[in-house]
Amino acid sequence: MWIWSCKLSNEIEDRIISGFRRAGCDAFSWDGKSESGPKIGVADSWNPKIEDWIRCQRSTNQHPTFVIYLDHCGSPQADAYAALDSGAQDVYFWNDAIDPIDAIGKSIRAHVDRQASLDKLFLDKRLQNLCIACDPLWKTQIKAILQAAVYSKATVLLLGQSGTGKELIASTIHEFDSRDPKGRWVTLDCSTISKELSGSEFFGHVKGAFTGATADRSGAFALADGGTLFLDEIGELPYALQAELLRVIQEGSFKPVGSNLWQTSRFRLISATNRDLEADVAAGRFRSDLYYRISGGAVFQLPALGDRPKDILPLVDFFLRQHFTDQAVPTRTAELDEYLMDRKYPGNIRQLKALVARMVLNHPGAGPLTLGMVPAAERKISDNCSAPKPKPLIASSKASPIESMVASGLSIKEIGRWAEISAIQHAMELDEFNLPKVSKRLQCSVRALQLKLAAARESTELTELASKELDGADDELEQSV
């Protein structure tokens, strides 16, 4: 641990050193040459040098950085935000004439000890499916999630696109939950709950409560007593059923269907959704009182795979090892790596895993994985390829799509197919690739959607257009079914 300071008197330096030692901090150097350990900056007020120093420390090491202001004459809130936005772990204001420095030293010591503990957890075998790669964004996210799991019993809300690993994160939180004894892990898929069976699914029922209730049955909240209840896809829970969860989430009390007796359950609640719940609350699709209950603890926005590009190839290696358990994992060609890094993944990790599985199916059993093993429907066509190109669709940048296609000489049948493909793609984006919702919006069956997409992929006239409009969408469809 070492401290960088701005024109401190020897007396102040001595008081800080002795106070930190009384707080249990290790001895540290004032010369700024130490490369390891946390860094502490001491200054009168915010200045650009502090920002440069903080950013330098954060870029060269993984240890936390702290800032202490003394004899402060600026705006405390603005200066604190400036330091935190630059990457400081925490900010303190110290009046050496009134406050002992020991309290600040103890707080920094606690920060350091906790970070060291979290760093050790990264070596835990239970994290091997999460810590596959090393993108800084993902590592920071995992640390924050582990902190919530180990050091609290807080309610957790996981937000993120489909395929970002929300269920895996939720089960990891339960795995590292420090409660002793710890109850079971219970999952409830809110997208499958019907009004007729919601009471029994949530709270259970007693024998004779309704026709067919031949025995007592425990619901999800009773089963999760002492453990963790994972409400998956809570954003899909019908509005009419959301009120049923308010009391049990806030107070832990409920009555099984057909019973007059209240029961209690103490559980950690983890909810997950790919929806924007704040927007749904504003639009009246999700109850605000339920939203504040499930988001009252830790809230984590999981990054999309496109936001952590350094993890793509390590994840590919991980999935390959799962397929080639009894033989050497084949190498990848440079062209394949370029393709994997360049393409889009609207289905995120789930889509990447499925793509690897399809490439493995095309691998002959010897030699490297090549671009030719990517399914033809998903393979990019190079600009230098000699394959015949379809007619240009855009005749004028100012023309509408229909006008451009008419001007390009496309037939009414071709224009109709393009409009159909475009409509399906737009509906999938609106409904986040939820097939039942897309089919309902377009008033057709799920099977009809699949057949139309397959036909578009096989069309020789519309290959380029379909690829552009549906890049990655067929992967999502395939995995949604």
Side-chain angles (χ1 to χ4, degrees), residues 329-385:
V329 176
T331 59
R332 304 183 307 271
T333 63
E335 295 79 15
L336 178 61
D337 282 354
E338 182 178 358
Y339 163 77
L340 293 170
M341 292 294 293
D342 285 348
R343 70 162 290 166
K344 297 184 183 300
Y345 298 95
N348 295 290
I349 300 173
R350 186 183 295 122
Q351 182 179 355
L352 177 62
K353 182 177 182 180
L355 175 61
V356 170
R358 288 193 284 273
M359 289 192 298
V360 169
L361 286 176
N362 292 332
H363 187 261
L369 280 168
T370 65
L371 189 58
M373 295 169 195
V374 176
E378 302 179 57
R379 197 181 309 143
K380 286 182 178 178
I381 298 179
S382 169
D383 292 339
N384 298 323
C385 180

Side-chain angles (χ1 to χ4, degrees), residues 8 12 63 115 136 139 153 157 191 199 216 255 262 328 360 365 419:
L8 297 182
I12 295 297
H63 298 283
Q115 290 300 315
K139 186 173 183 179
K153 302 176 184 178
L157 174 60
S191 66
D216 291 353
K255 285 194 297 185
W262 287 94
V360 169

Side-chain angles (χ1 to χ4, degrees), residues 280-325:
D280 285 349
V281 169
R285 293 188 294 266
F286 199 84
R287 293 182 64 103
S288 60
D289 44 8
L290 178 58
Y291 172 70
Y292 293 127
R293 282 168 170 80
I294 64 176
S295 64
V299 180
F300 298 106
Q301 178 73 50
L302 302 189
L305 183 57
D307 295 330
R308 35 186 291 214
K310 293 181 181 178
D311 289 353
I312 292 176
L313 295 183
L315 283 168
V316 170
D317 288 337
F318 176 76
F319 296 139
L320 286 174
R321 288 195 296 270
Q322 291 181 331
H323 288 280
F324 294 91
T325 54

Side-chain angles (χ1 to χ4, degrees), residues 78-367:
D79 288 353
Y81 279 134
L84 293 171
D85 289 344
S86 299
Q89 175 76 31
D90 212 340
V91 180
Y92 302 91
F93 294 87
W94 177 50
N95 186 328
D96 66 292
I98 301 175
D99 304 322
I101 192 66
D102 307 44
I104 295 177
K106 289 179 180 178
S107 177
I108 291 178
R109 175 78 265 174
H111 270 297
V112 172
D113 289 344
R114 177 166 291 191
Q115 290 300 315
S117 176
L118 294 174
D119 286 338
K120 288 182 180 179
L121 287 179
F122 271 83
L123 303 176
D124 195 300
K125 292 182 179 179
R126 293 173 293 177
L127 281 179
Q128 61 181 355
N129 289 343
L130 279 178
C131 299
I132 297 167
C134 56
D135 190 285
L137 177 65
W138 186 241
K139 186 173 183 179
T140 299
Q141 184 77 282
I142 296 301
K143 269 193 174 182
I145 290 169
L146 285 176
Q147 178 170 258
V150 176
Y151 295 103
S152 79
K153 302 176 184 178
T155 294
V156 176
L157 174 60
L158 301 174
L159 305 173
Q161 298 176 8
S162 176
T164 50
K166 295 187 290 295
E167 184 168 0
L168 179 59
I169 290 289
S171 62
T172 300
I173 293 173
H174 174 72
E175 184 69 27
F176 282 86
D177 193 315
S178 58
R179 286 175 294 171
D180 187 21
K182 180 172 60 180
R184 71 178 74 182
W185 159 267
V186 178
T187 299
L188 187 62
D189 185 351
C190 294
S191 66
T192 64
I193 301 296
S194 66
K195 182 175 178 57
E196 295 74 20
L197 298 177
S198 62
S200 180
E201 289 290 331
F202 290 148
F203 315 122
H205 61 253
V206 297
K207 180 179 179 181
F210 49 83
T211 302
T214 58
D216 291 353
R217 179 181 184 274
S218 296
F221 286 93
L223 293 172
D225 187 24
T228 302
L229 176 61
F230 177 48
L231 297 181
D232 195 16
E233 301 296 347
I234 193 168
E236 306 301 325
L237 188 67
Y239 190 89
L241 303 183
Q242 294 171 18
E244 297 183 23
L245 302 182
L246 299 178
R247 178 184 292 273
V248 67
I249 290 177
Q250 180 166 310
E251 302 177 5
S253 58
F254 64 93
K255 285 194 297 185
V257 177
S259 174
N260 293 322
L261 301 178
W262 287 94
Q263 296 184 14
T264 60
S265 179
R266 297 292 177 261
F267 52 87
R268 170 176 236 156
L269 179 67
I270 304 177
S271 307
T273 182
N274 60 9
R275 299 183 63 88
D276 184 345
L277 290 186
E278 290 188 351
D280 285 349
V281 169
R285 293 188 294 266
F286 199 84
R287 293 182 64 103
S288 60
D289 44 8
L290 178 58
Y291 172 70
Y292 293 127
R293 282 168 170 80
I294 64 176
S295 64
V299 180
F300 298 106
Q301 178 73 50
L302 302 189
L305 183 57
D307 295 330
R308 35 186 291 214
K310 293 181 181 178
D311 289 353
I312 292 176
L313 295 183
L315 283 168
V316 170
D317 288 337
F318 176 76
F319 296 139
L320 286 174
R321 288 195 296 270
Q322 291 181 331
H323 288 280
F324 294 91
T325 54
D326 299 327
Q327 53 186 306
V329 176
T331 59
R332 304 183 307 271
T333 63
E335 295 79 15
L336 178 61
D337 282 354
E338 182 178 358
Y339 163 77
L340 293 170
M341 292 294 293
D342 285 348
R343 70 162 290 166
K344 297 184 183 300
Y345 298 95
N348 295 290
I349 300 173
R350 186 183 295 122
Q351 182 179 355
L352 177 62
K353 182 177 182 180
L355 175 61
V356 170
R358 288 193 284 273
M359 289 192 298
V360 169
L361 286 176
N362 292 332
H363 187 261

